[in-house]
Amino acid sequence: MVRCVAVIGAGVGGLASIKCCLDEGLEPTCFERSEDIGGLWRYTDSTDSRRVSVYPLLITNTSKEMSCFSDFPFPEDFPNFLPHNLLLEYYRMYARHFDLLRYIRFKTTAVSVRKRPDFTTSGQWEVVTETDGVQESHVFDAVMVCTGHYQEPYLPLASFPGIDTRFKGQYLHSQEYKDPEAFRGKRVLVVGIGNTGGDLAVQLSRMAAKVFLSARSSTWVFSRVSDHGFPFDMVETTRFNHLVESLLPSALMKRIMFRRVNSRFNHANYGLASTKSSNVKKILNEELPFCLLCGTVVLKPKVKEFTESSALFDDGTTEENIDVVLFATGYVFSFSFLEESVRSQFYDNRSLYKRVFPPQLEKTTLAIIGLIQLTGSVMVGSEMQARWVTGIFAGWNKLPPTSRMMADVLKKKPLVKRNPSERENLKMSFISYTDEIASCAGVKPNVLRLLLTDPRLALAVFFGPCTPYQYRLMGRGKWSGARDAILTQWQRTLKPLRTRVVDDSSDGSCSWRWMYLLALPAALLVGFLLSKYPRQGSSPRAGLQL
């Protein structure tokens, strides 16, 4: 019987885990090595390699309605995409509202997490912590590791001959980037075109003499502002779109996606991607195309090698007088505090059952929270993981036998290891993964049932954005405010924009009513087809749940 739970880390996953433990009647103790909550979202100008934080001008890529805690909406006057200081304030509000801070021991580092000698029967862990140089040993019934995957900078110097032997300029990882002013007047090469690399190239273009952006993979550049000015993720991440994507051939979906993204600007003209590109990366960046258009950022292929002051590229070109090389090459995770016998069971999250549980442990009392990459908010996925895990620890939910967990892991495990820069291409679908964990936790929304009992809500759930509130409509942890939160989500989206009143005679509510009326027969038809012909590998009951 699990009672006392150690939570390692007081970032987003840690806060959600503490709250979920309390919801299930468990007794959490959270160990946070810094002096405050927020994890990487708490900005610090420290360059300590052990402390990873956001860079100063970062803005979230997921909107507030798509990345909130499922029973705690953002304040309606908060902007849709948030700077890190506002996001951290929201986390403080959450911690205060649910009285989480008293369960956190700050400035306390988890030194080691080891199985107790009687682990095979008790499932207990010995956790050694250190505070102000003094170590202390604790015994816990279960452990939730909430340190995420931004743990240690990945700096693959061996892949760039000459960078640490011949190159006379400065090189650093994006984790060390704090002040753009330090790059004023310099010629900077940014290596890596993920979201971070694109952001830093744009920021530096306002200070540096010239910025070069090296990309080895093809990239689609999306905007956070979608049609009619709505947040991109709220428009795109819907259950209806997800269903259509699952039914259409992947080649056709790729062609449709490429045509849509090219409607903004032709990616081939910019050297970003073409219709023949494979393994295309997707990033969100409104300003990068303009910077490329006006020449403040110049796109380059993969770096071949460095000389004393130059970078040579795979296409044979050379850029002279490079002052700084900034590596936006991602992060690795090590979980060095876990004992080797446990750590060796997974080299990445695909070795974990449902990306959470090491499947070969004698007792499943260790859970890894937040070690996921999704096409949507990782925070929402982490909270869902915590709800599922604490239900298992509390005893009302169960895991399948080890053989079934291993079979599931092997089915989803890649054939080869990937480095961090390639993992971006292996992001899991936000709806697919969150629904999968929600099904395990018994809280996945049943659209057909809603269609019979609350048609208006059902249509908002199916055709509207898949906001976290949907996972509080039914099952354990049901929230009475979930329905209202879903039906008012667009109001909270528009609220911070309406700071100046203009005369708009169009009646948008009428058009929405007509859309719902037209969508009703379509939803009924889709529900009938799914119930009659469930997708292969699903049970008839699973086919009824969208």
Side-chain angles (χ1 to χ4, degrees), residues 118-130:
D118 62 347
F119 181 81
T120 55
T121 55
S122 70
Q124 290 184 326
W125 299 85
E126 181 181 3
V127 179
V128 177
T129 62
E130 183 174 313

Side-chain angles (χ1 to χ4, degrees), residues 90-145:
Y90 169 72
Y91 295 150
R92 296 193 197 284
M93 294 165 61
Y94 179 80
R96 288 194 297 267
H97 181 78
F98 293 107
D99 194 21
L100 306 181
L101 296 179
R102 64 194 182 102
Y103 298 95
I104 305 173
R105 293 181 55 175
F106 292 106
K107 296 184 179 180
T108 302
T109 301
V111 177
S112 70
V113 176
R114 297 182 174 276
K115 299 177 186 177
R116 294 270 291 168
D118 62 347
F119 181 81
T120 55
T121 55
S122 70
Q124 290 184 326
W125 299 85
E126 181 181 3
V127 179
V128 177
T129 62
E130 183 174 313
T131 307
D132 296 329
V134 178
Q135 291 194 353
E136 184 180 359
S137 181
H138 320 259
V139 175
F140 287 97
D141 300 318
V143 176
M144 299 175 75
V145 178

Side-chain angles (χ1 to χ4, degrees), residues 239-240 445-465 470 473-474 483 486-487 516 519-520 523-524 546:
R239 293 184 178 278
F240 174 75
N446 188 317
V447 179
L448 290 184
R449 184 183 302 167
L450 289 174
L451 196 60
L452 297 175
T453 59
D454 193 339
R456 182 188 177 197
L457 178 61
L459 293 173
V461 168
F462 186 63
F463 290 101
Q470 294 190 9
L473 288 171
M474 52 190 62
R483 181 183 189 275
I486 292 170
L487 297 180
Y516 279 137
L520 183 57
L524 288 169
L546 302 182

Side-chain angles (χ1 to χ4, degrees), residues 9-16 18 30-43 51-53 69 84 87-97 100-107:
V12 181
L15 293 177
I18 298 170
C30 178
F31 301 108
E32 167 56 43
R33 69 181 179 186
S34 73
E35 68 277 5
D36 203 353
I37 65 170
L40 66 90
W41 288 103
R42 184 172 62 84
Y43 171 74
R51 175 76 172 88
V52 175
S53 76
F69 292 105
H84 59 81
L87 189 61
L88 181 59
E89 177 56 28
Y90 169 72
Y91 295 150
R92 296 193 197 284
M93 294 165 61
Y94 179 80
R96 288 194 297 267
H97 181 78
L100 306 181
L101 296 179
R102 64 194 182 102
Y103 298 95
I104 305 173
R105 293 181 55 175
F106 292 106
K107 296 184 179 180

